[in-house]
Amino acid sequence: MKICRFNDDRLGLVEGEDVVDVTTALEVIPTTGWPAPQGDALIANLDAVCAKAWELAESGERLALYDVVLKSPVANPTKVIGAPVNYYAHLDESQEDEGVNFGREIKTIDHYGLFLKNPTLVGAGDGVDLHFTDRRNDHEVEVSMIIGKTAKNVSYENALDYVGAYSIGLDMTVRGTEERSLRKAIDSYSVLGPWLVTADEIADPDKLNFSIHVGDEERQNSNTDKLIFDCKKLIEYGSSFYTLYPGDVIMTGTPEGVGPVKAGDTMHCYCEGIGKMDVAVRAA
Ligand code: MN
């Protein structure tokens, strides 16, 4: 099932080129007092919401996808987790490009571990507001996992049981010498979309083609079968450091082809089994 958040926090069921408004399915989410449980309430109750959405599919108002503004399908993650240098071909280009490495030796995820991005996600329809336009601002397209239930010290074998959904991530990055967690946490630099696809629709997340074009130019095109830490390993490793909560997002890393964007560009992202999303780039 493909579920989107659109316009003013409406919930949609995506069917082909249409969105069916199933916002009333959100009524199955239990109300909580303060403090709310850690994590995103939609994702924590995703099975029940999807069951209700399915009931509403016939009667809900039907809209054209191109007429709605797509927001991030996860509203309140506790963490957006990044996977640095998780493809060897991206290691190679980073070692050769001074605009990426700034004179530093670049290693792989085995050396760096993980990092945290700003958890205030934006959606495809929000677009990216460029900051620090005197510096290089790069796209990094990344297949992204949305954690479905609380996970701590999860084994490699059981790791995918904890994935609730998949989506496409953009780990937007201003290049420079500061910590990754700063350069990749600028407002609007964590994009998730265009919707979520429930985990049952993705047979193997480590065999997905994905790509990004900027305008007509193909920049990145790879497959998750080339990940250094595959999807299961990222969950096993991450959950050994911190508890993963429903709605936490793991951006699995970017392949070769990272490059700059400028105001006025449109990024066209694609992932097999998920779909396409177009993301506008603007001056902040
Ligand atoms: Mn990245």
Side-chain angles (χ1 to χ4, degrees):
M1 198 174 258
K2 296 181 174 69
I3 298 285
C4 70
R5 176 160 66 117
F6 68 98
N7 297 352
D8 298 323
D9 298 325
R10 309 297 297 177
L11 193 76
L13 177 62
V14 179
E15 292 187 341
E17 299 298 308
D18 294 343
V19 180
V20 182
D21 190 325
V22 292
T23 304
T24 52
L26 295 171
E27 289 168 8
V28 304
I29 297 176
T31 50
T32 56
W34 182 88
Q38 296 282 359
D40 184 280
L42 167 63
I43 305 302
N45 295 280
L46 192 57
D47 288 349
V49 173
C50 283
K52 188 69 185 173
W54 189 245
E55 284 176 27
L56 297 165
E58 290 282 302
S59 58
E61 185 189 1
R62 193 168 280 266
L63 304 149
L65 254 180
Y66 63 76
D67 272 341
V68 306
V69 179
L70 291 168
K71 304 288 183 174
S72 167
V74 181
N76 299 113
T78 74
K79 295 180 282 305
V80 173
I81 299 161
V85 199
N86 202 14
Y87 287 85
Y88 287 112
H90 177 53
L91 171 71
D92 294 342
E93 73 175 357
S94 301
Q95 286 173 329
E96 285 162 20
D97 187 346
E98 231 171 283
V100 172
N101 66 44
F102 282 76
R104 294 165 301 193
E105 183 187 359
I106 303 291
K107 297 178 180 174
T108 63
I109 190 168
D110 305 82
H111 175 82
Y112 298 118
L114 303 170
F115 66 92
L116 296 179
K117 283 174 68 70
N118 191 334
T120 50
L121 293 160
V122 301
D126 296 313
V128 170
D129 293 323
L130 283 189
H131 292 58
F132 307 106
T133 50
D134 54 330
R135 294 167 62 173
R136 185 170 146 188
N137 286 271
D138 283 8
H139 55 78
E140 295 190 355
V141 67
E142 314 200 356
V143 174
S144 295
M145 298 186 281
I146 300 168
I147 295 298
K149 57 186 179 186
T150 302
K152 177 70 179 174
N153 291 326
V154 170
S155 70
Y156 181 87
E157 290 71 28
N158 296 331
L160 294 184
D161 295 346
Y162 292 84
V163 180
Y166 296 90
S167 198
I168 305 174
L170 275 168
D171 175 21
M172 299 302 296
T173 304
V174 63
R175 298 296 172 195
T177 58
E178 302 94 334
E179 296 284 353
R180 282 184 179 82
S181 64
L182 182 69
R183 292 184 289 104
K184 294 166 171 277
I186 298 167
D187 288 341
S188 82
Y189 279 38
S190 298
V191 185
L192 193 74
W195 39 72
L196 66 78
V197 176
T198 50
D200 58 289
E201 292 200 10
I202 303 288
D204 185 354
D206 289 313
K207 280 186 184 142
L208 296 176
N209 285 308
F210 66 108
S211 65
I212 182 170
H213 287 67
V214 176
D216 296 334
E217 182 189 352
E218 184 178 87
R219 295 279 186 89
Q220 299 184 273
N221 188 337
S222 191
N223 188 292
T224 50
D225 64 3
K226 298 183 178 68
L227 283 167
I228 298 173
F229 278 17
D230 65 15
C231 288
K232 293 177 197 160
K233 170 92 175 175
L234 287 166
I235 292 169
E236 177 193 32
Y237 183 80
S239 74
S240 74
F241 283 83
Y242 32 53
T243 302
L244 303 173
Y245 293 103
D248 281 2
V249 173
I250 302 179
M251 294 192 176
T252 58
T254 205
E256 73 279 17
V258 301
V261 292
K262 60 182 190 312
D265 284 341
T266 302
M267 299 180 283
H268 307 284
C269 308
Y270 164 77
C271 182
E272 185 180 4
I274 298 173
K276 295 176 184 175
M277 72 169 178
D278 298 329
V279 182
V281 181
R282 291 181 300 259

